Amino acid sequence: MEPIIKVEHLNKIFSSGTGEVVAADDISFSIDKGDIFGIIGLSGAGKSTLVRCLNLLERPTSGSIFIGKNNLLELSERELRMERRKIGMIFQHFNLLMQRNVLDNVCFPLEIAGMKKKEARERASKLLKTVGLKEKAKAYPAQLSGGQKQRVAIARVLAANPEILLCDEATSALDPQTTKSILSLLKDINEKYGITIVVITHEMSVVREICSHVAVLEEGKLVESGTVDEVFDSPKTEAARKLILNAGIQNK
Ligand code: ADP
């Protein structure tokens, strides 16, 4: 089976007045369709940069990023826009539109895509049901808990029918119990819709809970990757050992 995401020799160098930072250093890996793939590492290891490169929010300095057969770096603007529709993203701080109620937040991408208002509302209502927030359709983001806000963000991202969902520290602002409920929702979505999920996190418990595979980043390099069981049960590198042992959760 061809991987849904294939990264080859990815480099990202940030230049500033004070010098250069190599945030991604010759990174290569691939993700199969339907996987839940975790990317872990200490703060500053390059996790955010890597995940932002996967949809070209950040443009790599060099390398290739294949989504299916298409190398994103070789597409025209128009082709890239089409390809990006396959990739949704959720964030630590939810990024909801504060002036719009919950239903209208979920309708937003559908309206942008040109769907008729009535149809968009029907679809958004269904998605709110999927994420367990039907009764909050008329509420505004400020009236919701963190977990509820992330559910709205998930419904909104699902509205565009993505094949891939990127999660950048999506549970890092949530308490442990809410984190569990959001992870369980992500797992349901993965199973129900076959959406491939990429999870960036500094929380090892998140990886243990939902990921099938994991990659370890250290100073911009991918130092280890494999199934979660392989990496957590017998980490090969010092970087992986430290992350896993410090979290104290190597055994399920
Ligand atoms: P992580 O998500 O693992 O915390 P990041 O990808 O945010 O790591 O950062 C990796 C490195 O790249 C860090 O040294 C960070 O300071 C640097 N970096 C990230 N974004 C920028 C930027 N826009 N300009 C300059 N340096 C950056």
Side-chain angles (χ1 to χ4, degrees):
M1 189 174 60
E2 191 172 292
I4 189 165
I5 300 174
K6 190 164 71 179
V7 172
E8 287 180 340
H9 304 294
L10 174 75
N11 290 291
K12 175 70 192 182
I13 301 171
F14 290 109
S15 304
S16 68
T18 50
E20 290 189 336
V21 177
V22 183
D25 188 354
D26 197 23
I27 291 182
S28 300
F29 66 101
S30 59
I31 301 179
D32 286 335
K33 187 170 163 46
D35 280 355
I36 304 186
F37 194 97
I39 298 174
I40 58 176
L42 295 175
S43 177
K47 305 182 293 297
S48 263
T49 302
L50 176 57
V51 82
R52 289 163 60 82
C53 281
L54 295 182
N55 58 3
L56 291 204
L57 271 181
E58 201 72 76
R59 219 175 162 88
T61 308
S62 62
S64 312
I65 295 161
F66 288 91
I67 303 297
K69 288 185 170 28
N70 295 321
N71 182 357
L72 295 188
L73 287 132
E74 288 176 353
L75 299 181
S76 66
E77 281 292 318
R78 199 181 138 270
E79 290 168 329
L80 181 58
R81 261 201 309 279
M82 300 291 286
E83 210 54 38
R84 272 200 177 127
R85 286 197 194 147
K86 295 183 187 163
I87 311 174
M89 191 163 187
I90 56 172
F91 304 87
Q92 181 172 4
H93 296 298
F94 323 118
N95 290 17
L96 299 180
L97 300 163
M98 300 306 279
Q99 312 302 330
R100 284 182 161 229
N101 70 24
V102 163
L103 187 71
D104 290 340
N105 261 280
V106 181
C107 282
F108 189 66
L110 298 170
E111 288 168 18
I112 300 267
M115 193 183 271
K116 290 208 176 74
K117 200 158 183 145
K118 183 163 174 283
E119 213 178 315
R121 288 184 156 247
E122 279 169 10
R123 176 150 168 73
S125 295
K126 275 198 195 129
L127 288 164
L128 285 177
K129 200 168 159 209
T130 304
V131 302
L133 271 190
K134 202 170 143 222
E135 73 288 1
K136 294 286 183 191
K138 293 272 159 51
Y140 283 83
Q143 298 168 311
L144 303 179
S145 69
Q148 290 170 334
K149 283 183 203 160
Q150 198 58 291
R151 284 173 190 271
V152 178
I154 291 169
R156 184 178 59 181
V157 90
L158 290 179
N161 265 329
E163 292 177 23
I164 297 168
L165 175 57
L166 308 177
C167 307
D168 191 355
E169 298 281 4
T171 55
S172 299
L174 306 175
D175 63 65
Q177 203 172 337
T178 310
T179 292
K180 265 193 183 285
S181 76
I182 294 294
L183 294 179
S184 139
L185 175 61
L186 290 174
K187 195 154 197 166
D188 282 353
I189 286 166
N190 165 259
E191 283 167 7
K192 195 162 159 191
Y193 304 108
I195 298 176
T196 306
I197 302 183
V198 183
V199 174
I200 296 291
T201 184
H202 68 278
E203 297 174 300
M204 299 308 116
S205 55
V206 167
V207 176
R208 233 341 175 192
E209 188 92 17
I210 62 162
C211 292
S212 53
H213 295 76
V214 64
V216 183
L217 290 188
E218 184 183 42
E219 295 178 0
K221 291 191 177 67
L222 194 157
V223 293
E224 183 164 350
S225 66
T227 67
V228 169
D229 284 344
E230 280 163 10
V231 174
F232 275 59
D233 293 344
S234 26
K236 292 184 184 61
T237 58
E238 189 58 25
R241 261 195 297 278
K242 270 195 189 147
L243 283 169
I244 292 159
L245 292 177
N246 285 349
I249 53 157
Q250 66 272 39
N251 295 311
K252 241 182 195 163

